[in-house]
Amino acid sequence: MNRQQRRESERLRSRQVALRRIERPVHFPMIVKADTALRPLEEVIDQIERHGTVDVSERGAPVFKPPGECQWMDIAPAIAGLADTFEIYASRHGREINVRPLRVLCAALESGADVTQTNLTELHTLMPRLRAISARFGQKEAVDLVRVTEIKAELETCK
């Protein structure tokens, strides 16, 4: 075997080794996922504080645009889902998390009522706590919480 053939043989062998590598899924740190979940809500709260308005759909429902999405989504069900998620987490871990400010905001947005300064202050107190809690979720726990919240929402729509 001459030098050229050896080089070609080594090059082919290195390609075969590269093809045998196992591609593992990339998991983003939970702090990134927590930011992705909570940032849209914080942006809505900031918009209410700065301008006193929220974005609305053609039918008049308050909406927001999730990061990385092309479609606008209703705010109220998303906020209710977040509140449900943290209530489930609190009941599982024996913690006390007061998600009442989220429920009040959700009700105000659904009914078209004004959001009070007291509610905004309570939300500003609550959001860092929710962010810290969600950043500590494990991957499996976060997936399970989302799944249970989705099931709860489906059961409530069936009633």
Side-chain angles (χ1 to χ4, degrees):
M1 187 182 300
N2 65 25
R3 187 183 312 175
Q4 182 182 7
Q5 290 171 332
R6 271 195 317 260
R7 287 181 181 163
E8 185 67 26
S9 165
E10 288 174 13
R11 192 168 55 97
L12 287 173
R13 199 173 314 127
S14 68
R15 281 186 183 171
Q16 289 174 349
V17 170
L19 292 175
R20 281 189 254 148
R21 290 186 187 138
I22 298 171
E23 294 293 326
R24 293 185 173 86
V26 177
H27 294 291
F28 292 104
M30 290 310 291
I31 195 164
V32 174
K33 292 180 181 180
D35 183 64
T36 304
L38 295 175
R39 182 175 301 269
L41 175 58
E42 291 171 339
E43 288 174 356
V44 168
I45 294 167
D46 288 342
Q47 182 180 355
I48 291 171
E49 277 188 322
R50 288 189 182 130
H51 306 291
T53 62
V54 292
D55 296 319
V56 293
S57 66
E58 293 174 355
R59 64 182 200 282
V63 293
F64 74 103
K65 195 175 212 177
E69 297 284 331
C70 297
Q71 297 180 9
W72 291 81
M73 298 177 67
D74 290 343
I75 293 173
I79 294 172
L82 273 174
D84 290 342
T85 300
F86 285 103
E87 282 179 345
I88 293 167
Y89 173 83
S91 68
R92 284 184 180 178
H93 293 276
R95 291 189 167 183
E96 185 67 33
I97 302 174
N98 181 13
V99 293
R100 188 179 112 351
L102 289 176
R103 300 275 184 210
V104 170
L105 176 64
C106 181
L109 292 173
E110 281 181 327
S111 66
D114 290 337
V115 179
T116 64
Q117 186 59 42
T118 305
N119 188 19
L120 291 173
T121 305
E122 290 174 346
L123 285 166
H124 279 293
T125 303
L126 177 65
M127 293 310 292
R129 183 161 185 226
L130 296 183
R131 188 174 280 278
I133 290 168
S134 59
R136 289 191 304 260
F137 285 166
Q139 179 74 23
K140 289 180 182 178
E141 182 178 24
V143 170
D144 185 54
L145 283 170
V146 169
R147 190 171 293 133
V148 169
T149 304
E150 289 172 345
I151 291 169
K152 181 178 179 184
E154 286 296 318
L155 289 173
E156 288 177 356
T157 58
C158 292
K159 288 181 181 180

